[in-house]
Amino acid sequence: MRSGAHTALFSRVILSSLAAAMWLLGGGCGTDTGGGVECAPFTLCGEACVDTESDAQHCGACDVACAPEQACEGGACVDLCEAGQTNCDSSCVDLQGDARHCGACGNACDSATPACVDGACVAECPAGQTQCGPLCVDLQSDAAHCGACDGACPPGGICNGGRCECPTGEVACATGCANLAVDVENCGDCGNQCGVGATCVSGVCECPAGEQLCGGACVDLLSDVANCGDCGNGCPPGAPCQDGACVCPGGEVNCGSTCANLASDVQHCGGCDQPCPAGATCTSGVCQCPAGTVDCGDACADLSSSMDHCGGCGNSCPAGGTCTSGICECPAGEVDCFGVVCAELSSDTQNCGACFNSCPAGGSCVAGACECPAGQVDCGWACADTLTDPQHCGVCNNDCPVGATCSNGVCQCPAGTVDCGGQCVDLDSDPDNCGACGDSCGPAAAGCVGGQCQCLYGTADCGGDGCRDLLADPRHCGGCGQDCGSDQVCDTGICVCRPGLIPCNGGCIDPLSDAHNCGGCGNDCGGDNCYLGDCIPGDCQDQSQPANDCDPGGRSCVTFANMLSNPLHCGGCNDNCGRDKVCSDGNCEKYYPATPCTSCPCGFCGGDLCCSYPGSGDVICVEGATVCP
């Protein structure tokens, strides 16, 4: 609670106490009138007279307590507001800048003067500010509206120049800005949570002295019954953990999950995990079946009547049958279907006309033949009404899109939605299909409104490609649809050569291996090879670092190590990565700018790998990669 709120609450409590004290001094100290204590004008709550108009423990009525961050005003609990704000309809607002309560609670600005400045309604916001809902804000510095209205920075973030940043020493994680050195929820890396009782010290989770991290909690392996001597080693019920060892009561032994008496325990008869058959007893460590039964492994059985052991151990009778004098029998009119079940073939839907001939779901068996109800057809595994069934609409096995209905054999999506790849979606609000099927707003969007992507973090809506960072996206560099070349990258809205390449004659070249521009633009090696920026005689394979001939004339030497990261020769000669891909471990992987982040790790990347773009330091998210380029 802020100091201003503390002061307001303290003042109200003091005033209430003084009022009560003055009343008491005036002779109203709970006078007993014969019918009970008289507290007027206050209220008797228990043994005390209180002012229910202002008492936070008895607000409006006895024992109705306000929350710690609230005060009692006029017999109602209200939020305590920080300095400069006023409680209007249970919300703290700034009467100087809120267009819903401009100058006074409930005084809303109209359409002619929609902005509130210094407590007065005006036609527009001051220079440098934009109206976002009821407020005039600076999109360059407002953390709740950074770069665009409602473009909120992550918790703890700040807005600098219209871009979200974390304070010095912190990084952007999924839950907000975090100091990886001390944050127990993000210790050493985003999302790495320390266990219960642990602390984060220099980015490493540590348990108190004498304890060890087990299953998300710090425990003492010498005494913890769930982790006795080692993580996950639980003691049996009733057995304490002493000096890291489970100790069973006298006369019992530790059988892993329980302490057992091997002389009488039917689950551990004569030894741990030696169960007696069902129905047997354990006497002096030996299993014994009752008289008239035999040990059939899993149970003591009467072979003359046991359904599972009829006439002999393991000889089971079919379901629905009986065992009589050691012989399996089915009821009259039923047949034995291969020892599995007794069935009446004329009416059994699972055995209709023959054993195991199943009727479709919803069907019936009549005189040994499967029939579907009137108006339905047999669609193999089910009877279906092809006029209304969304899984068999018009014909069997014709599935309607998710969310659609089947009407007169035709699939129909609800009003306001369309079929997008087997699912009914609202193109006005679906961020994966915003305005048209397949037009995804991407990760830098707050949502889809009216078929338009609501972009965050200073990005722009580039139609079917969603929200894009025009300062860093090579497919939308400086403007939507402005593609950079495959050998270029987007730097502050301008297509430039990828790091490691240099501009030359209107294109970008690799000065380390280009025999026509070896070490610099226009430096032709003649008949020699270009190796690591130098013209040399001899074959590429004969050099100190193994290299490949990556030129039809065999004069461009690209080292095998360089092929792990070179976007022009990624994994092999002349395997060029596209403009929106980087070369990671010899594979071309798609990437996108990590717009709100200035360093890794970055929660914006979600499950993708956060990396620095090679040679530039810009933060990117690489899809599907396990190592950064």
Side-chain angles (χ1 to χ4, degrees):
M1 187 182 293
R2 297 174 175 82
S3 59
H6 275 297
T7 302
L9 176 60
F10 180 74
S11 299
R12 278 190 281 268
V13 172
I14 291 297
L15 289 173
S16 177
S17 300
L18 286 174
M22 292 174 65
W23 176 80
L24 291 172
L25 289 172
C29 187
T31 304
D32 191 342
T33 61
V37 177
E38 175 61 45
C39 277
F42 297 112
T43 302
L44 180 63
C45 291
E47 298 180 355
C49 292
V50 300
D51 184 357
T52 57
E53 293 292 299
S54 60
D55 194 309
Q57 298 302 314
H58 307 279
C59 190
C62 291
D63 299 323
V64 178
C66 296
E69 68 275 7
Q70 293 181 315
C72 183
E73 293 184 358
C77 294
V78 297
D79 291 332
L80 292 172
C81 296
E82 62 184 19
Q85 292 194 332
T86 303
N87 189 300
C88 291
D89 298 330
S90 299
S91 296
C92 293
V93 299
D94 180 4
L95 299 181
Q96 300 300 303
D98 194 314
R100 298 166 300 182
H101 307 278
C102 191
C105 288
N107 184 36
C109 297
D110 58 23
S111 58
T113 55
C116 181
V117 178
D118 296 330
C121 294
V122 297
E124 60 183 15
C125 291
Q129 294 189 4
T130 302
Q131 185 157 2
C132 291
L135 303 175
C136 291
V137 300
D138 184 351
L139 300 181
Q140 299 299 305
S141 60
D142 194 305
H145 307 276
C146 190
C149 288
D150 299 322
C153 293
I158 58 176
C159 183
N160 185 9
R163 285 176 175 263
C164 292
E165 297 178 355
C166 285
T168 303
E170 297 186 7
V171 299
C173 294
T175 55
C177 295
N179 185 336
L180 303 184
V182 296
D183 193 326
V184 293
E185 298 296 323
N186 304 277
C187 188
D189 196 4
C190 286
N192 183 38
Q193 297 180 333
C194 293
V196 177
T199 57
C200 182
V201 180
S202 300
V204 179
C205 294
E206 294 185 358
C207 285
E211 295 187 7
Q212 181 174 322
L213 188 64
C214 289
C218 294
V219 299
D220 183 352
L221 299 181
L222 296 179
S223 60
D224 194 307
V225 293
N227 303 277
C228 189
D230 196 7
C231 288
N233 183 40
C235 291
C241 179
Q242 298 177 358
D243 296 327
C246 298
V247 181
C248 284
E252 298 184 2
V253 298
N254 185 353
C255 284
S257 62
T258 185
C259 293
N261 185 330
L262 304 184
S264 59
D265 194 318
V266 292
Q267 298 301 319
H268 308 278
C269 190
C272 288
D273 299 319
Q274 295 182 11
C276 293
T281 58
C282 179
T283 303
S284 300
V286 178
C287 294
Q288 295 181 349
C289 281
T293 64
V294 296
D295 183 354
C296 283
D298 62 333
C300 295
D302 182 348
L303 303 184
S304 66
S305 60
S306 174
M307 288 286 291
D308 295 320
H309 308 280
C310 188
C313 288
N315 183 39
S316 60
C317 293
T322 58
C323 178
T324 305
S325 300
I327 299 174
C328 292
E329 296 179 347
C330 281
E334 297 186 8
V335 298
D336 182 350
C337 284
F338 305 101
V340 176
V341 65
C342 293
E344 210 286 295
L345 303 183
S346 65
S347 60
D348 191 327
T349 56
Q350 300 302 312
N351 302 275
C352 189
C355 288
F356 308 129
N357 180 42
S358 298
C359 294
S364 58
C365 180
V366 180
C370 293
E371 294 182 358
C372 283
Q376 297 187 12
V377 296
D378 183 353
C379 285
W381 54 273
C383 293
D385 183 350
T386 55
L387 296 179
T388 59
D389 194 319
Q391 293 180 307
H392 308 278
C393 192
V395 294
C396 288
N397 301 315
N398 180 40
D399 286 336
C400 289
V402 177
T405 58
C406 180
S407 178
N408 290 324
V410 178
C411 294
Q412 294 181 346
C413 282
T417 66
V418 297
D419 179 6
C420 282
Q423 185 170 6
C424 295
V425 300
D426 184 350
L427 300 181
D428 285 339
S429 61
D430 192 315
D432 294 322
N433 302 276
C434 190
C437 290
D439 284 1
S440 173
C441 291
C448 174
V449 178
Q452 297 292 322
C453 294
Q454 305 300 298
C455 298
L456 299 178
Y457 309 122
T459 58
D461 184 1
C462 287
D465 278 348
C467 298
R468 296 293 173 176
D469 185 347
L470 304 185
L471 298 179
D473 195 314
R475 296 176 58 197
H476 306 277
C477 189
C480 290
Q482 296 182 15
D483 283 346
C484 294
S486 61
D487 52 4
Q488 293 179 314
V489 67
C490 184
D491 184 13
T492 62
I494 301 173
C495 293
V496 298
C497 290
R498 288 185 187 241
L501 307 183
I502 62 173
C504 183
N505 299 325
C508 298
I509 58 98
D510 179 6
L512 296 180
S513 62
D514 192 322
H516 302 291
N517 304 279
C518 190
C521 184
N523 185 27
D524 197 308
C525 289
D528 289 336
N529 296 319
C530 182
Y531 174 76
L532 298 179
D534 293 321
C535 295
I536 59 170
D539 294 332
C540 295
Q541 293 88 344
D542 296 336
Q543 308 308 315
S544 59
Q545 294 186 39
N548 253 338
D549 294 334
C550 288
D551 183 89
R555 297 189 297 122
S556 293
C557 300
V558 182
T559 64
F560 294 118
N562 186 247
M563 287 182 176
L564 295 177
S565 58
N566 191 326
L568 301 183
H569 306 280
C570 187
C573 286
N574 304 308
D575 289 343
N576 195 325
C577 294
R579 63 180 64 84
D580 55 353
K581 295 181 179 180
V582 290
C583 185
S584 173
D585 200 28
N587 298 299
C588 291
E589 306 287 4
K590 191 173 182 179
Y591 79 93
Y592 55 92
T595 306
C597 297
T598 57
S599 63
C600 290
C602 175
F604 180 79
C605 292
D608 296 326
L609 186 64
C610 179
C611 302
S612 294
Y613 192 95
S616 73
D618 293 336
V619 182
I620 60 175
C621 305
V622 185
E623 300 178 4
T626 55
V627 295
C628 286

